[in-house]
Amino acid sequence: MIHPLFKAALKRPDLLIRHLANYGELLKCEAADAGKGLLVQAAAGVAAAMALVLALGLTGVAVMLGILQGTFHWVLVAVPAVAWLCVMVGGLMAMRSVVRRDIQDVRDEVERDLRLIRLAKELKDE
């Protein structure tokens, strides 16, 4: 005896083909999103590297000015701190993983379908 799910698939192969086409579309969309995510990560990495060079330079200038003047002024800390903040934000954005999350969505969808097929097979065997 054939399970109703398989009967439906045999009677309407267009549904199975549409389902497979939807998988292709899902993979295409996820790949496009992953590409955009990688582009954002690369831009954030470049921005973080440029901010690091700027922060190191501003910190060195602030230390030299502080030593030459012999007094402390809040601007000598605030200006390099803004550059260091940019380094941290850019670094965090560059290290954030977007691709892994997108791939996991596709894996979850495939796992759900495989679970449904296993369930249909178990019901057929009963």
Side-chain angles (χ1 to χ4, degrees):
M1 179 171 170
I2 298 177
H3 190 271
L5 182 65
F6 290 123
K7 281 184 183 179
L10 291 174
K11 288 181 183 178
R12 298 283 312 270
D14 59 313
L15 294 177
L16 186 60
I17 292 170
R18 186 181 310 153
H19 188 70
L20 292 174
N22 288 340
Y23 263 129
E25 187 66 28
L26 176 64
L27 287 172
K28 181 181 172 184
C29 289
E30 294 295 343
D33 289 344
K36 290 176 189 174
L38 289 174
L39 186 63
V40 168
Q41 282 182 308
V46 169
M50 291 173 57
L52 178 64
V53 171
L54 180 66
L56 288 172
L58 289 174
T59 301
V61 170
V63 168
M64 286 189 296
L65 284 174
I67 290 172
L68 286 175
Q69 289 181 351
T71 60
F72 175 79
H73 198 274
W74 64 271
V75 174
L76 295 177
V77 174
V79 173
V82 171
W84 284 109
L85 180 66
C86 291
V87 170
M88 290 185 342
V89 169
L92 288 174
M93 286 181 65
M95 290 188 298
R96 190 179 62 183
S97 177
V98 177
V99 176
R100 194 170 295 150
R101 189 175 346 123
D102 292 339
I103 292 172
Q104 189 61 40
D105 291 344
V106 174
R107 283 183 183 167
D108 291 343
E109 185 68 29
V110 170
E111 183 60 36
R112 277 187 232 117
D113 280 350
L114 291 175
R115 210 174 312 136
L116 182 63
I117 291 171
R118 279 188 228 117
L119 178 64
K121 183 179 179 188
E122 289 172 8
L123 290 174
K124 179 187 170 217
D125 291 341
E126 288 179 1

